[in-house]
Amino acid sequence: MNLKLTDKTYLIDNVWAFVFTTEDDIAYTAGEYVRVQLDHENPDEEGPKRFFTNSAPPYEGVIQITTRLTGSTFKNALAGLAVGDDSLQLIK
């Protein structure tokens, strides 16, 4: 399932929040994690998939990834997404 980036917000230092929506309903409990895939050039040894806690409250119906940008190839690719991009995939 592809996720569409709808908001990208700088929070502090090198911490960013990325908000994604999808055409499908998203049901989850607070604190639940998601596994996502972002295909990108030259992935590091961890590859193109990562786990993140969904930092949005369930009533918002979105997936929010709040993370420190550490310079990994995955996080560089995540930071490079533009609002409207739908290349991040939710893995069930």
Side-chain angles (χ1 to χ4, degrees):
M1 168 187 328
N2 285 25
L3 300 173
K4 183 177 181 178
L5 181 63
T6 57
D7 189 44
K8 180 175 164 178
T9 305
Y10 169 77
L11 300 175
I12 189 169
D13 293 330
N14 57 342
V15 178
W16 287 76
F18 302 87
V19 178
F20 297 90
T21 59
T22 181
E23 293 179 4
D24 299 324
D25 289 336
I26 303 172
Y28 58 92
T29 57
E32 188 173 344
Y33 66 87
V34 294
R35 187 170 189 208
V36 294
Q37 178 172 336
L38 180 57
D39 294 323
H40 58 284
E41 290 187 30
N42 304 315
D44 58 24
E45 62 278 351
E46 293 184 53
K49 299 176 184 173
R50 296 290 191 281
F51 288 97
F52 291 98
T53 299
N54 184 356
S55 56
Y59 62 83
E60 288 186 358
V62 299
I63 291 178
Q64 179 173 305
I65 295 172
T66 302
T67 190
R68 182 176 309 279
L69 299 181
T70 59
S72 72
T73 61
F74 183 92
K75 290 190 178 178
N76 285 342
L78 182 64
L81 296 178
V83 170
D85 194 311
D86 67 350
S87 57
L88 187 74
Q89 298 175 359
L90 180 64
I91 301 172
K92 291 187 174 186

